[in-house]
Amino acid sequence: MNTLSSLNKTSCTQKLTSSHLLFFFCSLLGKKEVTGSGELLRMVKFSKQFEGQLVPEWKEAFVDYWQLKEDLKKIHLLNNNSNHPIKHSHHNSLSSNILSSLKEFSLFGHQHKDHEAIHVHKKLASSASKGDLYETELLEQFEDSDAAKEFFSCLDLQLNKVNQFFKTKEKEFLDRGDCLRKQMEILVELKSAFKKQRDKAANSSQDSTEDASIDCTISYEEDSVKDRTEQEQIQDDSTGELEKNEVLDSPRSEEMGEMGKSMRMKRDDIKLRTLSGHVFNCQGKNLRINIPLTNPSRTFSAISYLVWGDLVSQSSKKCNPEGSKLHINKTKLHHAEKMIKGAFIELYKGLGYLKTYRNLNMLAFIKILKKFDKVTGKQVLPIYLKVVESSYFNSSDKVMNLADEVEDLFIKHFAEEDRRKARKYLKPHQHTESHSVTFFIGLFTGCFIALFVGYVIMAHITGMYRRQPDTVYMETVYPVLSMFTLMFLHFFLYGCNIFMWRKARINYSFIFELGPTKELKYRDVFLICTTSMTAVVGVMFIHLSLHTKGHSFSQVQVIPGLLLLSFMLLLVCPFKICYRSSRFRFLCVLRNIVLSPLYKVVMLDFFMADQLCSQVPMLRNLEYVACYYLTGSYKNQDYGYCMRAKHFRDLAYAVSFLPYYWRAMQCARRWFDEGQTSHLVNLGKYVSAMLAAGAKVAYEKERSVGWLCLVVVVSSAATIYQLYWDFVKDWGLLQINSKNPWLRNELMLRQKFIYYFSMGLNLILRLAWLQTVLHSNFEHVDYRVTGLFLASLEVIRRGQWNFYRLENEHLNNAGKFRAVKTVPLPFHEVDEED
C-alpha cells in the first residue's frame, strides 16, 4: 500500500484513537519500511508526494519539510564524523516488529516516562488573535546538542506557524460562513415574498403581461463602483499582509493584529458601493442589492443611472421625501441566487483545502519525527506527537462542522434535496486522462509528419515557394495554410504552457477560473493540434495534387474555402462533441473581447486579448480569405479585388488595429471598475502600439524618408514601453533589491539562467518590426514565406511570455495566500443611521 495513503487514513482517524496507539501503528509501519533497502528504493519519497498534494498558494504556510530534512542531515553527518554510529535492529519478521513495539508501550497505552528525551512547554496566548506557542526543552544529552537544538527550534517554529495560519484561515472561513447564512436568509425571505406576490397576481382578474415583482422603498441613492473596489482592495491587501506577517513572523503578530483591527474598522466605515446597488427597505430590513456589471445590459443601465442619477435623486427627494419604488423581479433574484451559490461553492472548496492542510501537516510531523528517532536513536515521536495532536490545527473541529453545514444548506437550497446533484458542484470529479488520447496523439503526429513531408516535396518540385512562384496559388491558397499554421502553432505552445505550469505547480485553473470538469489538459491540446494539422496538411496535399494535374481551377479553388468553413462550423457546433464546453467558453471569451468595454474584464479575457495582439498576421489572412470567398472572387481568379477595393483595403488596415483597441478598452474598463491608475498606464502601451502600427501602414503606402523616420521613432518608443511592461509589470522581474540579481525573490524555476535567456530572447523578438525597415528576405524564398516565419517568431515570443505572466500571477496569489475566489455577495444590510 502507498505510504502516504496509509498515513492519510491514520491521520484522518487520529482524533478517535490515543496518541500512543497511533504511534504504535506508525512505528510498526516505519520498521517495515526500514527492513529492506530495495523496498525503500521502490517507494516514492514522501517529500515529493507532500509537494504534489499541498495547496500551491499556501506552500509557504505548510511545514517546511525540506528544511527539517536538511537539519536532520546535519545531525546525521555529525554523528558519523564523531564515530558514534547508531546501531538499529534490522529484524525482518513481523513478530519481532510487534514485540519490539509492545515493549515501548503498555497494554493500556501508557508510555514509560523514566527517560524522556525532551519536554515541550506550552505558552498560552497573550491575545485572541495570537495562538499558543510551543517551545521544546532538551532533557537528554544528544551527540550534538547545538544541531538538536536547531532542529527542535525549527520544528517548534513550524508547529507555531501551522497553528497560527490554520487559526487565521479558520476565522476567515467562519466569517464567510456567517455572512452566507445571512445572505441565504434574506434570499429565502425575498423568494417567499416574491412567490406570495406572484400567487396574488395570479388570483387577481387583471390581465397583465408584466412579471410579478416585489415593491420595496428605496432609502438610498446609488453609489459609485470605484468606492466599492477601493474597499475590496483595502480588505484584500490588509488581509494578505496580516496573514503573511502572522504566519511568517510570529513576534509581530500582535502588532499586526492591532493593525488588522484598525483596518477592519476602516473598512466598516467605508460603505459598500456599486453603480447597480440600491438601498431598499423590504421585509422590515434596510438592504442594498448589488448586482455586478458583468454584461452590456447592466453596464448600459449603470451608465444611464450615473448620468441621470443626481437629477433623479434630487427630484425624487423633492417630490417624494419617503423615497421611490424599486421593483425586485425574478431576474434580479435569479442573479442574486447565482452569486450566493457561487460563494457557497468557493467556501466549500476553501474548507476542503483547509482539511488537506491539516492532514498533510500532520503527516509531515509524523514522518520527520520518525526520521529523527531513526537518526538519533531517541524516542521523541510519542512525546512530540502528543503535543501536535493536542495543538489547535489538529484539535479544532470547526472546519468539519462548517463543511457539513455548508453541504446541507447547498443540498437544501440549490440541489432540491438531491445529495448526488450537490456533489457535482461541491466535489466535481477530475477529468480522467485516457491512454487512448496519448495513442492518437502519436498516430496523428506520424500522419502529419508524413503528409507534411509529401507536401513539401511536391511544392518543391512545382516551385510554389520560390521567388517567382505561381502567383494565383500564393495569393489564394497559401493564406489559408499560413492562417492555420499560426493558429495551431499558438495552440501547441499553449499546450506546452499547460505542461510547464503543471510541472512548476502553477495553479493556472484557479487563475483562469476554469472548472475542473471543463478545462483542457495538455494532452487534449496536443490531440487537437495534431488532428487539426493532419487534416489541414492532408487537404492542402490533395489540393496541390489536383492543381498540378490540371483539374478545373474553379472546382479546385473551392477546397481551401470548404476547409475553413468546416472548422468554423465545428467551432459553433451545438452538439456534445469535440470538447463542446471548451469551444463555447472560447466563444464567450471572444464575445467579451469584441464587445469591450461592455463586459467585466477577468483574467482569461485580457489574457486571450493579449494572444490576439500576437496574431495580427493571422487575422489579416482571415479577413482576406473571407473577402476572397464571400465576394465570389474565387470563381474568376480575381484575387486582387480585395486589395483594390477601398473599403476592403481599409478593413484590412482596421484589422491590424483591432486587437490593440480591444486590449486598450479592457484597460479602460478595469480602470473604471477598480480605479487604479496602473490600468491607464497599461492603456498607454496599447495606444503606442496602435500608433506604431499606423506609422507602418502609412509607410507601406508612401515609402518616403519622412515616414521611415517616423516609423523608427514611434516603433522604438513603443518597443521600450512594451519591454518595460513585460519585464517589470507582467513578469515581475528587474527588482532592484532582489536576492536574485535583476530578477525577483521568488522563482518557480531552479535555473536562474533561464530567466536571463528568456529576457534576452524577448528583447530580440520584440525587434521584429525592424524587418519593415530592412526588407530582409531569404534567398530563393517568396516574401510571404518570410512573413510567415517572422509571424511565427512573434507567436513563439508570446508562448514564452505566457509562462512568466502566469508565474508572476501565481506568486502574487501565493503572497496573499489566496487559494479560493472571493465572490461578491448581492445583499448588504444598512444601518438606519447611515
Side-chain angles (χ1 to χ4, degrees), residues 488-538:
F488 288 111
L489 172 63
H490 205 145
F491 205 50
F492 172 78
L493 292 174
Y494 175 68
C496 296
N497 288 146
I498 294 177
F499 176 80
M500 290 301 300
W501 289 331
R502 292 186 62 182
K503 196 78 173 176
R505 299 280 296 157
I506 295 174
N507 196 354
Y508 68 95
S509 300
F510 170 68
I511 295 174
F512 288 146
E513 300 180 17
L514 301 175
T517 59
K518 298 180 180 180
E519 64 170 304
L520 288 176
K521 309 295 185 181
Y522 68 91
R523 286 189 178 92
D524 298 321
V525 176
F526 291 155
L527 178 61
I528 295 173
C529 292
T530 54
T531 305
S532 301
M533 285 308 297
T534 299
V536 170
V537 176

Side-chain angles (χ1 to χ4, degrees), residues 481-760:
L481 178 61
S482 175
M483 178 181 59
F484 281 115
T485 300
L486 292 175
M487 181 171 62
F488 288 111
L489 172 63
H490 205 145
F491 205 50
F492 172 78
L493 292 174
Y494 175 68
C496 296
N497 288 146
I498 294 177
F499 176 80
M500 290 301 300
W501 289 331
R502 292 186 62 182
K503 196 78 173 176
R505 299 280 296 157
I506 295 174
N507 196 354
Y508 68 95
S509 300
F510 170 68
I511 295 174
F512 288 146
E513 300 180 17
L514 301 175
T517 59
K518 298 180 180 180
E519 64 170 304
L520 288 176
K521 309 295 185 181
Y522 68 91
R523 286 189 178 92
D524 298 321
V525 176
F526 291 155
L527 178 61
I528 295 173
C529 292
T530 54
T531 305
S532 301
M533 285 308 297
T534 299
V536 170
V537 176
V539 171
M540 291 292 107
F541 181 80
I542 294 172
H543 175 269
L544 186 59
S545 301
L546 296 176
H547 179 67
T548 54
K549 291 180 179 179
H551 285 75
S552 173
F553 188 85
S554 59
Q555 296 178 356
V556 175
Q557 203 67 2
V558 177
I559 296 177
L562 293 177
L563 176 66
L564 178 60
L565 180 62
S566 63
F567 272 93
M568 291 292 185
L569 293 176
L570 181 62
L571 181 62
V572 299
C573 178
F575 301 109
K576 197 173 183 179
I577 57 174
C578 299
Y579 306 100
R580 183 182 67 172
S581 59
S582 298
R583 289 188 286 109
F584 282 14
R585 181 66 184 272
F586 175 73
L587 292 174
C588 290
V589 171
L590 289 182
R591 176 204 62 191
N592 297 348
I593 294 173
V594 173
L595 296 181
S596 298
L598 300 180
Y599 280 93
K600 181 179 176 63
V601 183
V602 296
M603 177 71 185
L604 187 59
D605 293 341
F606 66 78
F607 183 83
M608 181 60 70
D610 280 327
Q611 311 306 305
L612 293 179
C613 291
S614 296
Q615 287 285 8
V616 171
M618 184 205 69
L619 294 177
R620 295 193 66 172
N621 285 333
L622 178 61
E623 183 274 334
Y624 174 79
V625 172
C627 171
Y628 179 70
Y629 284 100
L630 292 177
T631 58
S633 301
Y634 69 96
K635 296 179 180 179
N636 53 8
Q637 305 181 30
D638 187 11
Y639 57 84
Y641 173 75
C642 293
M643 292 182 287
R644 292 194 308 270
K646 186 178 184 301
H647 51 284
F648 285 114
R649 190 169 64 249
D650 294 339
L651 178 61
Y653 292 140
V655 168
S656 302
F657 293 92
L658 275 178
Y660 303 108
Y661 167 78
W662 290 331
R663 193 64 188 89
M665 290 298 100
Q666 286 181 337
C667 293
R669 175 58 191 263
R670 294 190 70 189
W671 170 79
F672 177 79
D673 288 341
E674 302 173 15
Q676 297 181 5
T677 55
S678 60
H679 296 309
L680 293 180
V681 181
N682 195 16
L683 185 148
K685 181 186 70 173
Y686 295 102
V687 171
S688 67
M690 285 190 285
L691 293 176
K696 293 175 186 176
V697 169
Y699 176 67
E700 290 177 359
K701 289 182 177 180
E702 183 181 350
R703 296 182 180 273
S704 62
V705 178
W707 283 113
L708 177 61
C709 295
L710 183 63
V711 167
V712 173
V713 172
V714 176
S715 298
S716 299
T719 301
I720 296 173
Y721 204 157
Q722 292 164 356
L723 286 173
Y724 167 79
W725 204 268
D726 286 343
F727 296 149
V728 178
K729 298 296 183 179
D730 291 336
W731 294 3
L733 303 177
L734 298 181
Q735 294 183 4
I736 300 176
N737 298 323
S738 172
K739 63 182 181 181
N740 302 307
W742 299 103
L743 301 178
R744 62 173 109 83
N745 291 330
E746 300 293 333
L747 301 176
M748 302 297 293
L749 301 179
R750 296 180 180 178
Q751 303 296 332
K752 297 180 184 179
F753 79 90
I754 298 178
Y755 292 91
Y756 297 115
F757 173 78
S758 299
M759 292 171 65

Side-chain angles (χ1 to χ4, degrees), residues 72 75-76 79 84-89 104 115 117 140-143 369-382:
L72 273 181
I75 297 176
H76 184 64
N79 289 341
H84 292 288
I86 304 299
K87 296 182 180 181
H88 300 278
S89 176
E104 299 170 6
H115 302 286
E140 288 189 5
Q141 185 68 26
F142 288 82
E143 293 292 338
L369 289 170
K370 283 170 55 183
K371 290 180 181 294
F372 182 85
D373 287 357
K374 186 171 66 173
V375 169
T376 61
K378 306 292 184 180
Q379 293 297 327
V380 171
L381 175 58

Side-chain angles (χ1 to χ4, degrees), residues 389-402:
E389 285 181 348
S390 62
S391 62
Y392 187 84
F393 88 95
N394 190 62
S395 60
S396 176
D397 58 352
K398 295 179 182 179
V399 172
M400 300 289 294
N401 296 335
L402 181 59

